[in-house]
């Protein structure tokens, strides 16, 4: 079984290279998929098969011949392409309506987003390694200050994390790039600080540069991202892979916000315990001094 492509571009290249070796029916299917990537990204297997004038099993056979375990695994590459290449929400909405022939009402959308986000939240605890959680908290606890980086869609998560850390009395600085000052803000990272970077496909260059700068200076890095293939994983001391809900090519942030909330409050609990312990020791020393003749 060949290794399946990891991106839409790799898939496109593989189909082009293997096209001559495919049967006529698989060639027909492959040609339809490359000609109609939006429909393939959003429609059901039955709908795609109907539009391509093939059977659903033909779609599965094509996916298997290209190294995928099933059609849904291959379809995910088409969905990733749609998200990456259609950043404008208006264009995505138009693509959804064109591919599905549907115009969902607001209540339907609310239920779909709620169901999808509930599913990823239920799966989140089992997908996060407890040792990674503790290691990340070790890094944050020992840091003098935590610099939080999140560009574009990730900015919401980074902004919340900075807010939460401030409320557990941990010095935190949001790397916002306000006024084009990413470089100046990154230079403010001290040797005793830590960097938390949140970045999802297509992985903002600013986030990658923040990790490069931190690694070069020996600053520990915690990364929240969406794939082990993310370029940020190479820099990280701790990596959290978070799978977000996706509805009609629109990705959520619910799971990432939940994880950052757990990290911030977990750090707050640690710091509170440390203060209690220090206070107890101080009281013990005071009591011992009073007992001395």
């Amino acid at each position: 079984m060949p290794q399946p492509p990891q991106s839409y571009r790799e898939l496109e290249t593989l189909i082009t290279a293997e096209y001559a070796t495919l049967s006529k029916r698989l060639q027909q299917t492959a040609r339809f998929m490359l000609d109609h990537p939006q429909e393939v990204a959003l429609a059901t297997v039955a709908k795609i098969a109907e539009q391509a004038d093939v059977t659903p099993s033909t779609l599965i056979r094509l996916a298997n011949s290209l190294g995928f375990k099933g059609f849904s695994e291959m379809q995910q590459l088409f969905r990733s392409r749609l998200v990456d290449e259609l950043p404008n929400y208006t264009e995505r909405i138009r693509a959804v309506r064109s591919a599905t022939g549907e115009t969902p009402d607001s209540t339907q959308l609310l239920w779909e987003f709620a169901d999808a986000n509930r599913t990823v939240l239920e799966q989140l605890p089992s997908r996060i390694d407890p040792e990674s959680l503790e290691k990340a908290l070790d890094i944050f606890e020992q840091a003098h200050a935590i610099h939080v980086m999140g560009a574009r869609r990730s900015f919401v998560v980074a902004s919340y994390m900075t807010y939460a850390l401030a409320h557990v009395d941990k010095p935190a600085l949001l790397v916002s790039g306000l006024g084009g000052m990413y470089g100046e803000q990154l230079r403010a990272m001290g040797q005793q600080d830590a960097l938390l970077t949140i970045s999802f496909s297509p992985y903002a260059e600013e986030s990658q540069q923040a990790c490069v700068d931190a690694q070069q200076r020996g600053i520990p890095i915690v990364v929240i991202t969406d794939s082990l293939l993310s370029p940020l994983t190479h820099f990280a001391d701790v990596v959290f892979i978070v799978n977000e809900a996706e509805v009609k090519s629109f990705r959520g942030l619910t799971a990432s916000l939940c994880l950052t909330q757990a990290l911030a409050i977990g750090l707050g609990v640690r710091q509170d315990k440390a203060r209690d312990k220090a206070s107890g020791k101080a009281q013990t020393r005071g009591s011992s001094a009073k007992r001395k003749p």
Side-chain angles (χ1 to χ4, degrees):
M1 180 71 70
Q3 179 72 21
Q6 300 300 312
S7 69
Y8 176 80
R9 294 304 175 199
E10 289 183 13
L11 175 61
E12 193 175 39
T13 300
L14 178 60
I15 289 177
T16 302
E18 298 293 326
Y19 186 80
T21 67
L22 300 175
S23 67
K24 289 185 177 179
R25 187 61 80 181
L26 291 185
Q27 285 182 347
Q28 175 184 337
T29 307
R31 185 166 57 249
F32 174 84
M33 291 174 61
L34 294 185
D35 289 344
H36 304 87
Q38 292 183 8
E39 286 81 351
V40 175
L42 297 167
T44 64
V45 172
K47 184 71 173 178
I48 296 168
E50 179 185 347
Q51 292 179 332
D53 194 23
V54 297
T55 63
S57 63
T58 304
L59 295 174
I60 298 170
R61 284 195 293 114
L62 177 61
N64 292 156
S65 71
L66 296 173
F68 298 98
K69 295 178 182 178
F71 179 76
S72 60
E73 185 180 358
M74 180 172 66
Q75 187 181 38
Q76 187 58 47
L77 298 186
F78 285 84
R79 290 176 174 171
S80 296
R81 168 205 167 271
L82 186 64
V83 171
D84 294 346
E85 296 188 7
L86 295 179
N88 183 289
Y89 275 22
T90 300
E91 292 178 5
R92 289 192 208 172
I93 291 170
R94 188 175 296 116
V96 169
R97 294 182 62 201
S98 173
T100 63
E102 299 176 355
T103 302
D105 62 31
S106 55
T107 301
Q108 179 184 342
L109 287 171
L110 178 59
W111 274 104
E112 289 186 29
F113 278 113
D115 285 343
N117 280 290
R118 179 170 59 248
T119 299
V120 297
L121 281 177
E122 289 173 349
Q123 297 172 348
L124 180 64
S126 63
R127 292 181 171 178
I128 298 298
D129 178 23
E131 291 186 6
S132 295
L133 274 175
E134 296 305 315
K135 185 176 179 181
L137 290 175
D138 287 342
I139 290 172
F140 291 160
E141 187 176 25
Q142 293 164 15
H144 288 178
I146 300 172
H147 300 258
V148 188
M149 173 72 192
R152 302 184 182 88
R153 184 166 69 99
S154 309
F155 182 80
V156 174
V157 184
S159 180
Y160 168 76
M161 185 60 168
T162 308
Y163 166 86
L165 289 172
H167 281 268
V168 297
D169 298 324
K170 186 69 180 185
L173 296 93
L174 177 63
V175 183
S176 65
L178 184 63
M181 293 190 294
Y182 275 118
E184 288 81 355
Q185 291 175 340
L186 292 175
R187 283 197 291 274
M189 292 189 296
Q191 292 293 327
Q192 304 304 314
D193 294 344
L195 173 67
L196 170 63
T197 302
I198 305 109
S199 186
F200 309 113
S201 178
Y203 314 112
E205 292 183 10
E206 298 91 340
S207 297
Q208 297 180 54
Q209 188 57 52
C211 289
V212 170
D213 289 359
Q215 186 184 61
Q216 290 175 345
R217 293 156 63 184
I219 296 169
I221 304 168
V222 176
V223 164
I224 297 175
T225 189
D226 55 6
S227 170
L228 286 173
L229 298 175
S230 164
L232 279 72
T233 61
H234 304 298
F235 305 103
D237 296 278
V238 180
V239 177
F240 294 109
I241 304 299
V242 176
N243 297 308
E244 289 289 1
E246 183 174 323
V247 176
K248 294 179 171 61
S249 84
F250 294 93
R251 296 175 182 171
L253 291 168
T254 305
S256 300
L257 286 166
C258 182
L259 175 58
T260 52
Q261 187 174 39
L263 286 168
I265 303 307
L267 179 61
V269 170
R270 276 198 180 196
Q271 294 183 149
D272 196 52
K273 287 172 63 177
R275 284 191 291 266
D276 284 349
K277 187 175 181 180
S279 177
K281 287 182 178 180
Q283 290 176 3
T284 300
R285 287 195 297 269
S287 299
S288 298
K290 289 179 180 179
R291 288 197 296 268
K292 289 182 179 180

